[in-house]
Amino acid sequence: MSDMKPSRRRLLSGGLAAAIGAVSGCLGGSVTGGPSDDERDRVLRLVLDDAGETLSENAVVDPDETSPRWDEAAFEAVRAGDSYTVQYRKPFFSTDEDPTHAVHDGTYYRLDSVVVDEAETTRPVLRLFGVDEIGAEDAGENDTDATGESDIEVVDAETLPTGDRRAVEIAYFAARARGNVGGIPVGLVERGGYVYRNENAVEASALLAEDGPTRVVYRDTTYRVAIDRERFYEPVYRATSEVVAESPERMEAILRALKVGPRVDEEALSADAREVLERAMYDGYEESHPYSDAYAEVLRSLHERPYLDGNVRKDAAPQWTDSEMVRYEGRYYDYRLVFKPADGDE
């Protein structure tokens, strides 16, 4: 049997009918309906990534086996039926789209939180400015002493405590982006700098001290240090939990319902369609429209009919789709579909 992926250069250079005929004969039949010019000049690529035999292995946290990123004290409290609140950050990072599950002594929990209050607080904010920048925010109160003589202390960021090094790194991103479009890491930079929220980092900070340095060197550049203490209004979260399963089998069924879309039966597929899936698992598989019977069979088994039944360009996703999960041959796979321009051989 010849290669299932015809050269896209051959398809575009006048050998379209012959190439499609060869693909159809190899894969066992006709191809899907007529393409437009826009549809013919692209290929649809399918990639499958192995996600293992069980979902629980990666989707359920066992604090006895590994240290979770979330608040372990909150998990202990909710198991005991005690009230536990935390300010600003959710205790379990759980969302409706990506719920957090945990297991303890054979019992499986879905962890979440609800907002029960608002807290007003004052927090230090670090901002960095170029030494030649002039403005109220970076006036540099500690740059001169009472006699008017220079009182500038310069430190290298690498010599600072861990919390300060993290603060300088994030404040640097804000300083670099200031006056430019974009370039600020979302979720890290806040109010044009770094907000200290960890009490241990505040206590250990050298930058926040009354006699702290007024200049810091980061990435071979000297920056003016500006510290402000600003008012914040933050949510107060109460940790919640719900028992959802008492056995690994039930937990696995819950995760399948949450995460898995199509369930593909190997025996229900033709040999050519199975080969398409195997190639997609190994190195990805792609074809130009109109697709072979085998590729169309795979797309239907994945419930991706917009790529077959509608206007391919308008109805199907033009870029990577959101990652979907399929169960096939007793294993789970993350799969993605993407259009690529047919601009030459692979």
Side-chain angles (χ1 to χ4, degrees):
M1 178 175 173
S2 62
D3 193 299
M4 297 170 62
K5 289 194 295 184
S7 162
R8 288 177 288 166
R9 182 169 294 162
R10 282 191 290 114
L11 291 178
L12 294 175
S13 62
L16 180 61
I20 291 178
V23 172
S24 300
C26 178
L27 294 178
S30 63
V31 293
T32 58
S36 67
D37 290 340
D38 285 343
E39 293 161 2
R40 186 184 291 118
D41 66 5
R42 299 183 303 169
V43 295
L44 180 63
R45 181 172 177 81
L46 170 66
V47 178
L48 271 70
D49 295 319
D50 192 349
E53 293 184 354
T54 65
L55 299 172
S56 300
E57 182 177 357
N58 296 317
V60 178
V61 178
D62 185 347
D64 293 333
E65 299 293 335
T66 184
S67 297
R69 293 174 52 248
W70 39 258
D71 195 329
E72 293 185 67
F75 187 38
E76 294 180 9
V78 294
R79 293 201 319 269
D82 297 333
S83 178
Y84 185 94
T85 60
V86 62
Q87 187 173 322
Y88 179 65
R89 287 186 172 87
K90 292 183 177 182
F92 302 122
F93 310 113
S94 185
T95 66
D96 290 339
E97 294 76 21
D98 187 21
T100 296
H101 291 94
V103 61
H104 179 75
D105 288 344
T107 299
Y108 294 83
Y109 301 83
R110 175 171 173 149
L111 306 178
D112 208 338
S113 59
V114 294
V115 177
V116 295
D117 203 354
E118 178 186 72
E120 179 182 342
T121 188
T122 300
R123 298 196 183 278
V125 181
L126 168 68
R127 298 182 181 92
L128 299 179
F129 297 87
V131 293
D132 57 346
E133 291 184 60
I134 300 175
E137 289 183 293
D138 61 320
E141 297 177 1
N142 297 325
D143 288 356
T144 58
D145 60 19
T147 64
E149 297 181 357
S150 177
D151 184 25
I152 298 175
E153 179 185 355
V154 182
V155 298
D156 192 297
E158 293 300 318
T159 67
L160 295 170
T162 302
D164 283 342
R165 293 200 301 271
R166 175 66 168 165
V168 168
E169 177 185 14
I170 294 174
Y172 156 78
F173 290 131
R176 183 183 64 180
R178 195 174 295 120
N180 298 316
V181 177
I184 294 179
V186 177
L188 295 178
V189 171
E190 188 176 0
R191 297 197 183 185
Y194 177 79
V195 179
Y196 283 83
R197 285 193 167 86
N198 185 296
E199 294 302 326
N200 293 331
V202 171
E203 293 178 4
S205 173
L207 294 177
L208 300 180
E210 290 187 5
D211 57 350
T214 58
R215 300 283 193 276
V216 62
V217 178
Y218 184 73
R219 296 191 178 184
D220 299 323
T221 301
T222 300
Y223 293 93
R224 185 194 305 273
V225 174
I227 302 292
D228 293 296
R229 285 167 173 78
E230 300 183 4
R231 182 176 300 175
F232 289 81
Y233 297 90
E234 299 174 346
V236 176
Y237 294 96
R238 185 178 69 228
T240 64
S241 72
E242 182 177 357
V243 174
V244 294
E246 298 285 357
S247 69
E249 294 77 15
R250 175 62 64 83
M251 188 67 245
E252 192 72 17
I254 291 170
L255 292 172
R256 280 199 303 272
L258 287 171
K259 297 176 177 291
V260 182
R263 323 295 168 91
V264 178
D265 182 0
E266 178 186 12
E267 298 301 321
L269 294 178
S270 67
D272 291 331
R274 291 197 296 269
E275 185 170 350
V276 168
L277 283 174
E278 289 170 5
R279 292 195 179 194
M281 295 172 195
Y282 176 70
D283 194 31
Y285 179 83
E286 61 192 41
E287 281 188 22
S288 299
H289 191 280
Y291 310 125
S292 66
D293 282 354
Y295 201 14
E297 183 180 352
V298 168
L299 293 174
R300 282 192 294 268
S301 73
L302 296 175
H303 309 316
E304 297 291 354
R305 288 181 178 272
Y307 292 93
L308 300 170
D309 299 340
N311 182 304
V312 174
R313 180 174 291 277
K314 292 182 179 179
D315 295 343
Q319 301 296 331
W320 282 110
T321 63
D322 292 336
S323 179
E324 299 285 350
M325 186 169 283
V326 58
R327 184 167 174 79
Y328 177 68
E329 290 188 283
R331 300 186 69 83
Y332 299 101
Y333 297 88
D334 290 307
Y335 78 88
R336 295 178 177 85
L337 286 161
V338 67
F339 278 126
K340 294 173 54 182
D343 53 0
D345 292 328
E346 289 291 57

